[in-house]
Amino acid sequence: MRRHARTIGAIVGLAALLATAQAQDWPQWRGPSREGKVAGFTAPQTWPKALTQKWTVPVGPGDSTPALVGDKLYVFTRQGGEELMLCLNASDGKELWRDKYEAVAATGGAARHPGPRSSPVVADGKLVVIGIGGILSCLDTSGKLLWRKDPFPKTVPTFFTAMSPVVVDGLAIAHLGGQGNGGLIAYDLATGDEKWRWAGEAPQYSSPIVATIEGVKQLITLTEKSIVGVAAADGKLLWQVPFIPQDRAYNSATPIVDGQTVYVTGAARGTKALKIEKQGDAFAAKELWSNPDVAVQFNTPVLKDGFLYGQTNRGNLFCLDAKDGKTAWLDAAQRGRGFAAILDLGSVLLALPSTSELLVLKPNPKQCEEVAKYKVSEAATYAHPVVAGNRIFIRDEKSVALWTLE
C-alpha cells in the first residue's frame, strides 16, 4: 500500500513538474497566447537590490525576441552577411546548433538595426522565422531545414520585415511583402505548400494575434492602412477598419483581444477599442471608444484587470481604463524613445525600455508605482525579456544573457 501511495505521489509530482515547465515556455512573440502574459511566476516578498547574471553570450546584432521551449533557447540574429538561427542550451548559453543563409543588408534609416526583427515561433516540433528581407524559414527543432520561401523577392516595408509569424492548426502564417505589394499567406507547416493567401493589403510591422469570435477562428492584425480580421481556415476577409498611419508613424503594435473587443494602438491614431460581432452571415466592427492622446509607436500594451498598461511613443508609461478609454494616469518620466516591452507577471508588471533598465511595476490604476529597477545591459534593448520561473533572459543589441531572481 505504501509503495502504491509513493508511486501515485511520484506520478502526481512529475505531472505537476511537467505542467510547470510547460507553463514557463515562451514559444513565440509575446508568449504562449501572444498576450504578453507570463504563467507560473512567484514574486519575492522582498525584491533584491540586484539580479544575478548566470551567463552572457555574444550572438551578433538583432532585435528579435528569443523563443524558449524546455531547455532550448532559440535566438535569431545576424553575423556579417548572414542571418542565423542559433539554438542555445538555456542553462549555460552553450550553442547546440545553428542554421544560416545569405541575407540582404538593411539600408537607409533601417541600417542602424542590421539584425532580424522577427521573433521565431516553435510549434509541433518545428521552428518558423522571417528574416529582414522577407525570407520565411521552417526548421525542425534539431536544426534541419525543412523548407524556405521568398514569395515577394526584394519587396519589404520601409524599415524591412519585422512581423513575427504564427502557427495555427498546422499552418505557418506570415504577412509578407511591403509597400503596396504583399499578402497574408498560410503554408502547410510540414510541407511548405501554400494553402491560402489574402492579398488585400501589404504588411507594415505588426504581428497578428489569433482569436475566436462568434465561433470563427481569425487572425487579427494591423496592415499598411487597416486593421483586419481574416479567417484562419481559408484566408477569407471577415472585417476591415481603416487605420492609416500619418506623420511618419507606422502600424507596429499587435492588437489585444478580450472576448469580442479588440484594442488597437498607433502613434498617429491613438488607442481605440472595437467590438466585433456578426450581422447576419457577415462580421462588422463597431468603434466603442477612442483616445487620441495616448498612443504606442513600436510595442504592445498589456490588458490587466480591465486596464491597459504600456509606454507611449514619447516614452511615458501609461494606464488606460479599458471600459471607456479614459487615461487613468500618464507618468511624467520619459523612459527611452518609445520602445518598451511590457509583460504581465501576475502580481507585477515588467517593463523593459530601450534604456535597458528593467522596471518592476505594481499594476495600479491610480498611479505609476515602481517596485524595483535593474540595469540588465550596457547596450540598448529592443526585444522582449523572456521570463520563466526565476529566470529572465535578456536580448540586447549584441548579446543574450540569463539573469536570475535570487
Side-chain angles (χ1 to χ4, degrees), residues 2 32 50 62 76 82 112 116 167 172 188 206 223 226-227 245 256 282 288 290-291 298 328 339 348 365 369 395 399:
R2 289 181 180 177
F76 195 34
E82 298 175 326
R112 183 175 173 273
V167 173
D188 185 284
S206 175
T223 69
S226 309
I227 174 171
I256 299 167
L288 299 177
S290 178
N291 184 327
F298 300 106
F339 295 90
V348 295
E369 189 172 346
R395 167 57 153 132
S399 63

Side-chain angles (χ1 to χ4, degrees), residues 121-342:
V121 53
V122 182
D124 302 332
K126 313 281 193 307
L127 175 69
V128 183
V129 74
I130 308 172
I132 64 168
I135 293 177
L136 180 70
S137 301
C138 178
L139 303 90
D140 67 22
T141 51
S142 67
K144 178 184 177 181
L145 178 66
L146 301 177
W147 49 266
R148 185 163 277 153
K149 303 289 181 178
D150 186 10
F152 298 96
K154 300 180 181 179
T155 304
V156 294
T158 302
F159 292 98
F160 290 76
T161 302
M163 76 84 57
S164 297
V166 62
V167 173
V168 184
D169 298 332
L171 299 175
I173 303 173
H175 203 175
L176 302 171
Q179 299 176 328
N181 179 25
L184 193 64
I185 308 176
Y187 295 95
D188 185 284
L189 181 63
T191 66
D193 295 338
E194 184 174 321
K195 292 300 183 179
W196 58 253
R197 178 183 299 212
W198 176 73
E201 287 189 8
Q204 279 207 331
Y205 312 102
S206 175
S207 300
I209 190 167
V210 181
T212 299
I213 299 178
E214 299 272 27
V216 179
K217 188 178 291 187
Q218 49 193 275
L219 295 145
I220 300 175
T221 192
L222 290 167
T223 69
E224 279 185 303
K225 302 176 181 178
S226 309
I227 174 171
V228 300
V230 175
D234 57 12
K236 178 184 176 182
L237 179 66
L238 301 173
W239 55 271
Q240 184 171 16
V241 175
F243 201 76
I244 303 174
Q246 296 176 345
D247 303 324
R248 300 179 66 185
Y250 314 100
N251 284 342
S252 302
T254 294
I256 299 167
V257 180
D258 183 26
Q260 291 179 242
T261 303
V262 177
Y263 303 95
V264 291
T265 186
R269 292 296 181 184
T271 303
K272 297 178 183 289
L274 308 171
K275 184 176 182 180
I276 313 302
E277 54 190 352
K278 268 191 172 180
Q279 294 183 353
D281 294 331
F283 279 88
K286 175 185 176 182
E287 185 174 302
L288 299 177
W289 54 257
S290 178
N291 184 327
D293 300 320
V294 176
V296 177
Q297 173 69 69
F298 300 106
N299 294 112
T300 304
V302 293
L303 179 63
K304 174 73 173 176
D305 298 331
F307 291 87
L308 291 164
Y309 294 89
Q311 180 169 293
T312 70
N313 55 310
R314 296 184 178 181
N316 307 99
L317 294 169
F318 69 83
C319 175
L320 297 185
D321 191 324
K323 294 189 301 295
D324 54 21
K326 293 182 179 179
T327 304
W329 53 259
L330 183 66
D331 187 41
Q334 290 189 342
R335 306 170 189 267
R337 296 179 54 211
F339 295 90
I342 308 290

Side-chain angles (χ1 to χ4, degrees), residues 10-25:
I11 293 173
V12 171
L14 178 60
L17 180 62
L18 291 174
T20 301
Q22 186 176 28
Q24 293 176 356
D25 283 350

Side-chain angles (χ1 to χ4, degrees), residues 59-66 74-78 83-86 99 101 115-120 129-132 135 137 395:
V59 294
D63 302 333
S64 167
T65 299
Y74 301 95
V75 181
F76 195 34
T77 190
R78 186 180 186 96
E83 289 178 336
L84 297 87
M85 175 55 66
L86 303 177
D99 174 74
Y101 61 90
R117 297 99 161 95
S118 172
S119 299
V129 74
I130 308 172
I132 64 168
I135 293 177
S137 301
R395 167 57 153 132

